[in-house]
Amino acid sequence: MKNLLIVEDVAEAREWLIGVARDAFPQASVSTARTIAEAMAKVNEQVWDMALIDLGLPDGSGLDVIRRIRQDAPETICVVTTVLGEDAHIVAALSAGAQGYLLKGQPSALI
């Protein structure tokens, strides 16, 4: 894992995800985006090995980011990160192309 994108608008959750990512992939370069617009700009800049994407963003749904990544860089691993654990959200994320689902706030030992 060389480069990882985290799309998260809440500062506290973003810092938690950065910590999880650095624990799992200590050599990876981690970049962040707080909105869909920022995420799309980063997706245009380079191909990411992995993207951790929140569903609820201030300017829309993280599903749009997943769809764009899957279209432009299908080799990128997309993982949804959210507090929304209902089946409908999981199905929507997987249908959009997410390959994983991480509930924010889980103890790191469970990830």
Side-chain angles (χ1 to χ4, degrees), residues 7-10 33-38 54-62:
V7 183
E8 172 59 59
D9 61 315
V10 177
R34 295 172 299 185
T35 64
I36 291 173
E38 286 180 19
D54 184 22
L55 290 180
L57 297 165
D59 56 346
S61 171

Side-chain angles (χ1 to χ4, degrees), residues 1-110:
M1 189 70 47
K2 293 181 184 175
N3 53 54
L4 189 137
L5 176 62
I6 295 174
V7 183
E8 172 59 59
D9 61 315
V10 177
E12 189 175 278
R14 190 170 50 249
E15 291 303 315
W16 178 77
L17 288 168
I18 290 169
V20 168
R22 291 187 194 241
D23 286 346
F25 309 106
Q27 303 302 319
S29 172
V30 177
S31 185
T32 63
R34 295 172 299 185
T35 64
I36 291 173
E38 286 180 19
M40 295 299 194
K42 297 221 181 232
V43 168
N44 287 336
E45 290 173 10
Q46 72 179 72
V47 174
W48 300 90
D49 294 315
M50 179 181 282
L52 303 178
I53 304 164
D54 184 22
L55 290 180
L57 297 165
D59 56 346
S61 171
L63 296 176
D64 294 330
V65 177
I66 294 169
R67 289 183 189 106
R68 171 72 178 279
I69 290 172
R70 301 306 300 152
Q71 176 185 338
D72 293 353
E75 66 277 10
T76 300
I77 299 167
C78 293
V79 177
V80 169
T81 60
T82 187
V83 296
L84 306 170
E86 295 88 29
D87 289 345
H89 295 289
I90 295 170
V91 170
L94 295 175
S95 294
Q99 292 134 311
Y101 200 87
L102 174 64
L103 290 176
K104 288 187 267 186
Q106 284 183 326
S108 297
L110 296 178

